Amino acid sequence: MHFKSLIASSLISLSVVTAAFLADVDFQARVKQGYRLIKTSPTDTGAWVTDEEKISNYTGKCVHFVDITDIKDPAVLSVFNGEKDNSRVAAIAAVTYPAVSHQSEANGLIAQLNTSGPQTWLKSLTDFYNRYYKSTYGTQSSTYLFNTVKSISAANTRISVSQFSHSYAQPSVIARIPGTSPNLIIVSAHFDSTGGSSTARGPGAVDNASGCVVLMETLRVLANARYAPRNTMEFHFYSGEEAGLLGSGDIFRNYKATGKNVLAVVNTDMAGYSPSGKISSYNDYSDTGLLAYVRRIITAYLGSYTTDTCGYGCSDHASAYSNGYPAAYVCDEPDRTSTPYIHSPNDAYSTVSFATVLRHAKFTMAFLIEANYV
């Protein structure tokens, strides 16, 4: 999901959303009745909607939103209110990104990337009727992904693969390559999908099976090489993104609470449709230093890139960003020339360009190797 919001954005005080929580004495009752509180812009004080309304009236109609029901951290809410969080600014400023200088090491691994696995994995993901986060298919797709990522990782016994449970039955999946340092470099993609409603066919080929198989192919090569990094590398596969960044929100809330030190998060959402033939590096919910670093890496390894903004809470990097971690977002195309099939039954396997998938896998590998020396 990276379509632009149809709702105008501007700044308001954190007290507005905080007041919305405090004033609503029926908050827990509404949650128990199956309602969720969402925001569509910094100025939006929140609206209670059902899960079906989220998908049919917002996601399906290309209106951005963030589900803030479970967010109790004032600093996180302040970011989604468009306010500046001085504590995160100071923390981000402490991370310095070096010059691009490890091409020899990275290129040896990049040469081992191919599209054989991605074609098989993407076909399997799109064969699920949909991957809606509350459907049986959504649960099954999570199990498939977990087992497949474990199989991909098996060549290196040091790699761990785990499921991260949520309040709904679609666990996220995390693969971890331990480094000599506990500092984390994270690459991510969401695997849930929607066809415009909770019951619609939603193959989600470009959005975002393509991003998932980019990570899987990169992991395969690193596992086979038994790559031993300095910084710990994590591959995140999020559930519930189309429902308001639910999976990534839970994970980064946990990482913040447990004091994990994250040096960079690069999210890939849509990596399989690119008339321009270039990676697109988006500007919003991205940190200046990491964004510049990502663009240096793209330039050094792949040439020029395109840019755009994606709008309010457009993808999972916003969860990392709002929780105080350096974040950036890459996808396959600027919004105006991106796939016309998003969030519909037509986002099919046949629309995917595997040359584009391979391009993103090359970038992801280059980024991980370069960031290993941050």
Side-chain angles (χ1 to χ4, degrees), residues 81 92 97 103 137 164 173 179 181 210 228 258 289 293 306 355 368-369:
N81 288 344
I92 300 304
Y97 300 101
Q103 287 96 327
Y137 310 110
F164 191 104
V173 176
S181 165
S210 64
T258 55
Y293 186 53
T306 60
L368 285 171
I369 302 307

Side-chain angles (χ1 to χ4, degrees), residues 131-149:
R131 301 188 301 279
Y132 174 63
Y133 82 115
K134 280 196 166 182
S135 71
T136 300
Y137 310 110
T139 303
Q140 292 170 349
S141 66
S142 175
T143 300
Y144 163 78
L145 188 63
F146 175 59
N147 290 333
T148 305
V149 171

Side-chain angles (χ1 to χ4, degrees), residues 3-32:
F3 49 83
K4 290 184 178 176
S5 175
L6 303 182
I7 308 296
S9 297
S10 59
L11 302 181
I12 60 167
S13 167
L14 169 63
S15 62
V16 174
V17 170
T18 303
F21 281 105
L22 297 178
D24 190 353
V25 295
D26 297 323
F27 185 92
Q28 292 303 326
R30 292 191 185 217
V31 172
K32 289 180 181 179

Side-chain angles (χ1 to χ4, degrees), residues 127-259:
D127 279 347
F128 290 101
Y129 179 76
N130 62 37
R131 301 188 301 279
Y132 174 63
Y133 82 115
K134 280 196 166 182
S135 71
T136 300
Y137 310 110
T139 303
Q140 292 170 349
S141 66
S142 175
T143 300
Y144 163 78
L145 188 63
F146 175 59
N147 290 333
T148 305
V149 171
K150 282 201 300 182
S151 177
I152 291 168
S153 305
N156 183 349
T157 58
R158 297 180 69 246
I159 298 176
S160 63
V161 182
S162 61
Q163 293 177 301
F164 191 104
S165 297
H166 305 287
S167 61
Y168 49 90
Q170 189 185 51
S172 297
V173 176
I174 298 175
R176 178 184 177 94
I177 307 178
T180 55
S181 165
N183 294 335
L184 295 175
I185 303 295
I186 298 171
V187 290
S188 64
H190 77 87
F191 69 90
D192 64 311
S193 72
T194 179
S197 76
S198 61
T199 58
R201 170 79 169 116
V206 174
D207 185 17
N208 184 38
S210 64
C212 292
V213 301
V214 163
L215 268 60
M216 294 162 79
E217 175 63 6
T218 308
L219 177 61
R220 180 193 69 81
V221 170
L222 289 171
N224 287 346
R226 293 175 176 78
Y227 189 77
R230 297 184 182 184
N231 292 318
T232 296
M233 297 177 176
E234 287 191 349
F235 296 72
H236 289 193
F237 302 86
Y238 302 126
S239 65
E241 188 267 356
E242 304 289 10
L245 314 185
L246 295 179
S248 59
D250 284 348
I251 288 172
F252 286 110
R253 186 157 49 247
N254 172 272
Y255 278 26
K256 183 176 182 180
T258 55

Side-chain angles (χ1 to χ4, degrees), residues 315-326:
S315 190
D316 291 302
H317 61 297
S319 293
Y321 182 92
S322 64
N323 277 280
Y325 295 121

